[in-house]
Amino acid sequence: MSLKNLSVKTKIPKFLQNKLNDKRVNKIYKRFEKSLNINEKFAVAVSGGPDSLALAFLAKIYSLKKKLIPKFFIVDHKLRKDSTKEAKIVKKILNHHLIKAEILTWKGRKPSKNIQSLARKERYKLIFAKCDKLEIKHVLLGHHQDDLFENFFIRLIRGSGLKGLISLDKRNKIGNKNLIRPLLDQKKDELIFISKYVFDFYIQDPSNEDEKFQRIKIRKLIKNLQDYGLDKKKFIQTIKNLKYSNSVVKYYVNENLKKNTFYSVNKNEFILNNEFFQQPHEIIFRTLSEAIQIVGKKYYSVRGKKLENIISRLKNNTLSRVTLGGCIIEKVNQTVIISKEH
């Protein structure tokens, strides 16, 4: 192949280009492109809802423009009677638009409690396993501006601290995977428009109206607050301010890790010196949580209450050895050793 041919940009198929030429779609795409800003292959999680279908279209255009290899995954949770049928329909519609998708199925017994949270964890597990095989480290998710608000209130009700309140960010890391949410500054109405305009289709999940799920109760609460004058623009600014504060805490967490711990790669073991526990409580809490996550090789942080108890016991010299998050935590003289549980 000649150098001339190699330099030619990947051509966007005409019917996709025609969709992109729409003024409103193009404006949304430009905001998406600026928000995503990666130059490596990536995976996209598609549910069939308007948010993820809009994400699939925007990601497909992005991959063509940047000459990247995307992978699209539809997870069939088998939590509803028609889930498999719906997954096949979504796959067919995406394929019709030159978006090749693969269905991943959640097998085995299904939970009767905490369904949405466990389904999310299983969804990540299935997608991450595929990404490991394909050596993909970036996973795109369809969370949008409304999800940002919902997450804040859900965490507020749970009594979360600063980190929890602003946990839905454009970029998070779970294990060795980068979770990217390039739609966080997009409104849900815009994504519904793209789904209708591009695909003339999207799935309406009946659970989105079921008030037995906390998220749906929160969604309706936010709607009521808007009716009473909640200003979303000011609310976004509040979340930004909290993120600025969180970045300061993160800086001191990293300093605590650098100055007051020693990590042995060969042993996969952290040694914490006495100064580690002379920091403000939030710094101790987060640094210890991160160390346990690294040694335990877990996707998620350990539960806050358990960690609070361990910190208290370590400070009071009433703990000699305990297990948490797949790790052994033991006090040895003036140091604490965190090693992998076997």
Side-chain angles (χ1 to χ4, degrees), residues 281-296:
H281 179 77
E282 182 68 8
I283 306 303
I284 299 170
F285 181 91
R286 289 212 208 175
T287 317
L288 187 56
S289 175
E290 192 166 326
I292 292 170
Q293 201 170 352
I294 291 168
V295 173

Side-chain angles (χ1 to χ4, degrees), residues 76-83 106 110-111 115-116 119:
D76 177 10
H77 296 90
K78 287 192 174 290
L79 290 170
R80 291 185 288 109
K81 183 182 175 183
D82 296 327
S83 67
W106 180 10
K110 303 299 183 285
I115 297 169
Q116 291 192 330

Side-chain angles (χ1 to χ4, degrees), residues 35-86:
S35 179
L36 183 52
N37 191 30
I38 59 173
N39 289 294
E40 297 177 271
K41 57 186 177 179
F42 57 84
V44 183
V46 187
S47 67
D51 324 325
S52 67
L53 284 175
L55 175 64
F57 168 74
L58 296 169
K60 178 65 178 180
I61 297 295
Y62 185 92
S63 70
L64 291 169
K65 280 178 171 284
K66 301 286 185 179
K67 294 187 280 188
L68 302 175
I69 300 172
K71 293 291 179 180
F72 298 84
F73 298 119
I74 303 163
V75 176
D76 177 10
H77 296 90
K78 287 192 174 290
L79 290 170
R80 291 185 288 109
K81 183 182 175 183
D82 296 327
S83 67
T84 301
K85 181 181 177 183
E86 288 174 355

Side-chain angles (χ1 to χ4, degrees), residues 13 20 43 53 92 105 134 173 241 265 292 299 314 323 337:
L20 185 62
L53 284 175
K92 185 177 180 180
T105 304
L134 299 167
K173 196 154 191 173
N241 291 337
V265 177
I292 292 170
Y299 285 147
L314 285 169
T323 59
I337 301 172

Side-chain angles (χ1 to χ4, degrees), residues 80-337:
R80 291 185 288 109
K81 183 182 175 183
D82 296 327
S83 67
T84 301
K85 181 181 177 183
E86 288 174 355
K88 289 178 179 178
I89 291 170
V90 172
K91 180 179 179 179
K92 185 177 180 180
I93 286 171
L94 288 175
N95 191 55
H96 183 69
H97 289 78
L98 303 183
I99 301 171
K100 188 178 179 182
E102 181 180 351
I103 297 173
L104 309 178
T105 304
W106 180 10
K107 297 175 181 177
R109 292 181 64 184
K110 303 299 183 285
S112 58
K113 295 180 180 179
N114 203 19
I115 297 169
Q116 291 192 330
S117 175
L118 292 171
R120 181 176 62 252
K121 288 182 180 180
E122 189 63 29
R123 182 162 62 248
Y124 286 164
K125 185 178 175 183
L126 287 167
I127 292 173
F128 289 176
K130 272 289 177 181
C131 288
D132 284 340
K133 290 179 181 178
L134 299 167
E135 297 184 337
I136 293 173
K137 64 180 181 180
H138 301 301
V139 179
L140 275 55
L141 304 172
H143 296 119
H144 49 81
Q145 197 176 88
D146 287 11
D147 292 317
L148 194 65
F149 303 144
E150 289 171 15
N151 183 73
F152 179 90
F153 281 103
I154 287 171
R155 296 299 183 120
L156 188 66
I157 288 171
R158 289 178 184 171
S160 294
L162 177 60
K163 184 181 178 183
L165 291 175
I166 49 93
S167 61
L168 199 64
D169 210 345
K170 278 192 176 180
R171 291 177 185 247
N172 288 108
K173 196 154 191 173
I174 295 183
N176 63 347
K177 298 292 179 291
N178 298 314
L179 298 187
I180 304 176
R181 301 177 176 91
L183 302 178
L184 268 192
D185 56 357
Q186 307 271 12
K187 295 178 181 177
K188 188 175 181 70
D189 290 348
E190 302 281 37
L191 306 178
I192 290 174
F193 168 75
I194 286 187
S195 291
K196 286 181 177 177
Y197 182 74
V198 174
F199 301 103
D200 191 28
F201 167 88
Y202 64 82
I203 289 173
Q204 291 182 309
D205 187 342
S207 69
N208 284 336
E209 298 299 323
D210 192 340
E211 289 199 25
K212 76 178 181 182
F213 296 117
Q214 187 185 52
R215 182 170 291 277
I216 309 310
K217 292 177 183 176
I218 294 294
R219 193 169 294 167
K220 294 190 176 182
L221 170 65
I222 293 171
K223 176 66 172 63
N224 290 335
L225 289 174
Q226 282 182 266
D227 293 341
Y228 281 100
L230 174 68
D231 187 326
K232 282 193 171 183
K233 287 184 180 178
K234 289 181 180 177
F235 192 51
I236 288 172
Q237 188 57 49
T238 297
I239 292 175
K240 280 184 180 179
N241 291 337
L242 290 173
K243 286 182 178 180
Y244 295 149
S245 299
N246 189 59
S247 66
V248 175
V249 176
K250 284 171 72 174
Y251 171 81
Y252 285 104
V253 166
N254 289 332
E255 286 294 294
N256 199 26
L257 274 174
K258 282 193 292 184
K259 294 178 179 178
N260 299 316
T261 74
F262 171 76
Y263 178 65
S264 169
V265 177
N266 292 336
K267 292 183 179 180
N268 185 27
E269 180 181 272
F270 264 106
I271 298 175
L272 320 179
N273 65 27
N274 196 44
E275 285 296 312
F276 181 97
F277 294 95
Q278 304 305 314
Q279 312 306 312
H281 179 77
E282 182 68 8
I283 306 303
I284 299 170
F285 181 91
R286 289 212 208 175
T287 317
L288 187 56
S289 175
E290 192 166 326
I292 292 170
Q293 201 170 352
I294 291 168
V295 173
K297 300 187 185 302
K298 300 290 184 181
Y299 285 147
Y300 298 96
S301 302
V302 293
R303 288 190 175 275
K305 286 183 179 179
K306 291 183 178 180
L307 197 58
E308 291 277 8
N309 181 49
I310 287 174
I311 292 171
S312 176
R313 290 174 63 194
L314 285 169
K315 283 188 169 183
N316 294 330
N317 291 314
T318 58
L319 183 147
S320 57
R321 192 175 191 272
V322 70
T323 59
L324 182 68
C327 297
I328 297 169
I329 303 165
E330 51 189 333
K331 186 85 178 280
V332 181
N333 297 323
Q334 295 300 307
T335 63
V336 173
I337 301 172

